[in-house]
Amino acid sequence: MAGNVGLLKHASNVPQCALEIEDIHSPRGVPAGRVSDAANRSAQVECVIGDPRVQAVTLTGSEPAGAQVASQAGRRIKKTLLELGGSDPFIVMPSAYLERAVRTGVEARTINTGQSCIAAKRFIVDARIAEEFERKLVAGMSALRVGDPMDESMQVGPLATPEILEGLDQQVRRSVELGARVLTGGKRLDRPGNYYAPTVLADVPKAAPAYHEELFGPVAALYRTNGIEEAIRLANDTDFGLGASAWTNDEAEQRRFIDELEAGMVFINGMVVSDPRLPFGGAKRSGYGREMGAYGIREFVNVKTVRVA
């Protein structure tokens, strides 16, 4: 929309996605070549960033990839926009509509088999309703149908790669070794494919991977807190700050969550989603800058001041 040419470097394991994006743009009034697929290997990225025709770089991916791209662009004084990982809190207070919160929480944790930066990952529940919420969350996660993603009756599919499956399994195993309890799931499924059982962990200690790392799969970490102060403190006790979902019908609590949660996006009584009308992006190690909305369009333009006397 701003008139820029976009050069798309897809992840190495999904070249068809980039080709599809290029095809989608072609018949819709976008001039030929404005959005092009760069089928280059990761090792070639620095050469692309260093090309003087490339003015700025945006990346969606992991923290290490973001740090590498930002470093390469920074050495050449080029602007970057980073959308990295997340460990989004899903906070539930006593005034919330519990059934709706649980139903949305299950969906928010398992969307795309949990492989989403804005998936709800840490469930922070007030102690006054924690027992009922835990029972319903475990029942909801346990009831999910896991199987072939091409079968529309399935609700949870496989993880994208064997490496993601292995990493998630190790994170859960290590968390359990350090004291976390498995309320449901907690293991790979014994079948062909990268399947992991929908899982709920409780009593997660601070030293555990499930506490301080992003879990990129259908694994929920459940915490009990006493009051809003403790809920906000726990929600902010992370290096990430992408999205946050808070469930309460108390207007004073809503205002506090909006003001005090350290996240680029705060959704009240709803699941964090990506909407092209709204700026999308995070804080802390989740990255910087904004995609989508008017802010997203302006990220990659140069403001020129003109004064005619």
Side-chain angles (χ1 to χ4, degrees):
M1 289 182 180
N4 291 324
V5 171
L7 185 63
L8 176 61
K9 164 65 178 78
H10 56 74
S12 58
N13 58 337
V14 288
Q16 294 88 347
C17 293
L19 293 171
E20 183 69 14
I21 291 171
E22 188 174 0
D23 289 343
I24 287 170
H25 281 81
S26 298
R28 286 170 171 77
V30 178
R34 280 288 169 88
V35 179
S36 299
D37 170 38
N40 51 320
R41 298 184 301 275
S42 296
Q44 298 172 304
V45 169
E46 187 167 8
C47 295
V48 175
I49 294 174
D51 191 300
R53 293 170 293 180
V54 173
Q55 299 296 305
V57 186
T58 177
L59 176 133
T60 299
S62 66
E63 284 183 84
Q68 187 175 20
V69 165
S71 175
Q72 293 169 1
R75 290 198 300 270
R76 297 167 174 89
I77 322 298
K78 295 185 179 183
K79 182 175 181 177
T80 53
L81 187 157
L82 303 179
E83 197 273 278
L84 309 177
S87 186
D88 287 10
F90 189 100
I91 306 165
V92 187
M93 301 300 288
S95 66
Y97 296 127
L98 198 62
E99 293 289 344
R100 183 181 166 202
V102 171
R103 185 171 61 251
T104 305
V106 171
E107 180 185 1
R109 175 61 285 214
T110 58
I111 189 170
N112 199 38
T113 313
Q115 299 165 115
S116 170
C117 53
I118 54 172
K121 297 182 174 79
R122 297 177 296 135
F123 290 79
I124 299 169
V125 185
D126 190 277
R128 288 166 284 181
I129 57 169
E131 186 173 336
E132 182 179 2
F133 184 91
E134 177 183 302
R135 185 173 67 253
K136 293 178 182 295
L137 178 68
V138 169
M141 293 286 282
S142 302
L144 291 170
R145 297 184 297 276
V146 182
D148 184 351
M150 301 305 289
D151 181 347
E152 293 186 3
S153 68
M154 294 297 110
Q155 297 167 292
V156 176
L159 296 172
T161 67
E163 291 77 18
I164 293 176
L165 174 63
E166 178 63 28
L168 182 68
D169 189 45
Q170 290 182 6
Q171 287 174 307
V172 172
R173 287 174 180 269
R174 181 59 179 155
S175 297
V176 172
E177 290 172 359
L178 291 170
R181 290 189 300 118
V182 177
L183 303 183
T184 186
K187 59 184 179 181
R188 307 182 193 202
L189 294 181
D190 187 17
R191 64 175 74 169
N194 306 320
Y195 290 97
Y196 198 87
T199 298
V200 179
L201 301 177
D203 301 333
V204 179
K206 196 164 185 175
Y211 188 99
H212 58 84
E213 296 177 6
E214 179 180 27
L215 300 181
F216 213 59
V219 179
L222 182 62
Y223 303 87
R224 298 189 182 200
T225 54
N226 294 298
I228 190 170
E229 298 283 351
E230 188 176 342
I232 291 173
R233 185 166 59 251
L234 179 57
N236 290 338
D237 190 18
T238 174
D239 289 335
F240 298 102
L242 191 54
S245 177
W247 293 73
T248 173
N249 288 304
D250 183 310
E251 290 187 7
E253 288 181 344
Q254 292 177 359
R255 175 50 56 187
R256 288 203 60 187
F257 286 129
I258 291 168
D259 289 345
E260 298 179 37
L261 288 175
E262 297 170 353
M265 301 169 286
V266 177
F267 283 54
I268 302 296
N269 295 331
M271 182 172 73
V272 179
V273 296
S274 174
D275 186 319
R277 298 168 296 180
L278 304 177
F280 183 99
K284 301 195 280 190
R285 296 188 70 85
S286 289
Y288 50 77
R290 292 296 178 266
E291 302 167 345
M292 299 189 289
Y295 284 94
I297 296 171
R298 294 178 183 130
E299 283 285 356
F300 290 118
V301 299
N302 289 313
V303 176
K304 179 182 288 185
T305 300
V306 177
R307 179 176 184 265
V308 180

